[in-house]
Amino acid sequence: MRVGYAGKGLVYLAVAGVSLRSIWRGGEAQDTSSAFGWLNATAWGAVVLFVILAGMVAYAIWRVLDAAFDLEDYGSAAKGIVARLGMLVTGAIHLGIAVVVFPLLFRWGDAGEGEGIADYVGTVMAWPGGRWIIGAVALLIIGAGLHYARQGWTGAYRDDLRANHFTTRWNPVLKAGLIAHGAVVGVIGLLFLFAGWRADPEKAGGTGDAFSWLSDQVYGQILVTGICLGLLGFALFCFVNAAYRIVPKVSGPDVRSLASSLTGGRL
């Protein structure tokens, strides 16, 4: 779990950092593959990519174990089953990121020249009922984005973090980071929805496409810059989870959460 969240934090640190660097130089925000490509071209990038690769595999394993043994105590009711299935989906997504990193790191095959999201969406659309499948996936992604944004807005994430001076002091940054992440995920879901509605795989996309869509809105560049700054906060959120996350069936009943600390008084 800890290695997984640390690797996830590095992914968002790379995407947000490279994007802000590009914006500062008059360019556009970058997607995950572009951020990895930039890392791969640096002297120390191979080390970071290796940690990301290990982290993505670890995160996928963690999500499978978490879902199988219900380590976060979601239960076996309908709501709990949906949450645990969602863990398997997020585990698969992060394993997909590992697939992107592997050829870059080991110079295997045509690194960076593989199929993109539109190719995979096009393949699914060719199946019977493919448009409906993409539409269902889109709704799941939008739901995930709303879930992240709601967790950030309501502060529900604080129930899963240990209370200490660091988490208390940086709580506003964690909140902003989770909301920014929810916004990006929600836009990606909308792009998938457009793709299914118009039967056009090219409408689907990932983080880079979400940035492009946001930049086309009113005050788009300011909006994208703010989102990228928020994703730095989400990277911190991932690192904090690596260090201080509470796992109900492992951590024990005497652990004080950030939520209880902020409710019951300052540390």
Side-chain angles (χ1 to χ4, degrees):
M1 181 197 74
R2 298 189 191 284
V3 173
Y5 273 111
K8 188 175 179 178
L10 282 175
V11 170
Y12 283 95
L13 183 62
V15 171
V18 171
S19 293
L20 288 170
R21 178 177 178 271
S22 177
I23 291 171
W24 179 261
R25 296 187 172 191
E28 298 180 349
Q30 303 297 302
D31 60 11
T32 306
S33 296
S34 298
F36 290 164
W38 181 84
L39 281 173
N40 192 46
T42 63
W44 40 269
V47 176
V48 178
L49 287 173
F50 180 80
V51 175
I52 288 175
L53 176 62
M56 294 302 92
V57 174
Y59 190 84
I61 294 172
W62 150 246
R63 277 321 197 186
V64 170
L65 295 176
D66 193 5
F69 297 103
D70 193 20
L71 298 179
E72 296 189 271
D73 202 19
Y74 282 108
S76 299
K79 186 177 180 180
I81 294 296
V82 170
R84 292 162 71 180
L85 288 174
M87 294 176 189
L88 297 177
V89 173
T90 57
I93 291 171
H94 287 80
L95 194 60
I97 296 176
V99 171
V100 174
V101 174
F102 186 87
L104 285 172
L105 188 59
F106 295 100
R107 305 293 195 276
W108 180 68
D110 297 323
E113 299 298 327
E115 292 185 318
I117 291 175
D119 298 304
Y120 292 117
V121 171
T123 299
V124 174
M125 280 189 180
W127 299 348
R131 289 178 63 185
W132 292 101
I133 295 173
I134 295 301
V137 170
L139 293 177
L140 288 173
I141 297 173
I142 292 171
L146 291 173
H147 172 71
Y148 286 125
R150 179 182 174 278
Q151 276 199 321
W153 185 262
T154 62
Y157 64 91
R158 299 179 300 188
D159 291 327
D160 299 322
L161 295 177
R162 294 176 184 267
N164 54 44
H165 291 289
F166 185 87
T167 55
T168 302
R169 184 175 295 114
W170 288 91
N171 180 55
V173 177
L174 304 179
K175 183 184 187 78
L178 204 50
I179 293 173
H181 178 58
V184 172
V185 172
V187 171
I188 291 173
L190 286 175
L191 295 177
F192 271 74
L193 194 62
F194 292 156
W197 179 36
R198 298 184 180 181
D200 183 0
E202 296 299 325
K203 296 293 183 182
T207 305
D209 299 283
F211 286 150
S212 295
W213 185 86
L214 288 168
S215 66
D216 290 336
Q217 309 311 306
V218 179
Y219 302 111
Q221 194 72 344
I222 295 174
L223 181 60
V224 171
T225 301
I227 291 291
C228 288
L229 290 172
L231 290 181
L232 289 179
F234 185 70
L236 178 64
F237 176 82
C238 293
F239 293 134
V240 167
N241 272 267
Y244 304 121
R245 187 172 180 84
I246 296 172
V247 182
K249 290 190 176 180
V250 178
S251 300
D254 58 339
V255 176
R256 190 183 186 196
S257 71
L258 177 60
S260 65
S261 171
L262 295 175
T263 302
R266 299 185 64 170
L267 287 176

